[in-house]
Amino acid sequence: MKISDKLKKINGSLTVNLYDNGYMVEVNGRDSDEDYTDVKIVCLSLKEITEVIAEAMEMEKY
């Protein structure tokens, strides 16, 4: 899953949660209807986290 599948703009920050069996990246922002929402993406590796963060860096901020 990509952030852009759910959000059009992000608020400029994200949270990475560490678990015993993986990670979760949480991002808040606005969807295509301009409604405020959040996305939680489960990642199983550091490579996946890097990809999610790289996508967030390219997205429009509000």
Side-chain angles (χ1 to χ4, degrees):
M1 173 186 278
K2 296 173 64 175
I3 300 169
S4 58
D5 291 343
K6 301 285 184 176
L7 298 177
K8 179 179 164 185
K9 301 175 188 175
I10 63 172
N11 71 357
S13 66
L14 55 82
T15 302
V16 176
N17 296 292
L18 309 175
Y19 299 111
D20 289 339
N21 60 350
Y23 313 90
M24 182 183 67
V25 180
E26 186 172 359
V27 185
N28 300 307
R30 303 276 178 181
D31 64 14
S32 58
D33 295 326
E34 292 296 322
D35 293 327
Y36 183 80
T37 189
D38 65 318
V39 173
K40 295 178 181 177
I41 300 175
V42 174
C43 298
L44 300 178
S45 69
L46 290 175
K47 181 180 183 234
E48 289 180 26
I49 293 172
T50 303
E51 292 168 359
V52 171
I53 292 172
E55 179 189 14
M57 296 295 293
E58 298 297 320
M59 291 185 71
E60 183 179 351
K61 316 300 188 276
Y62 70 90

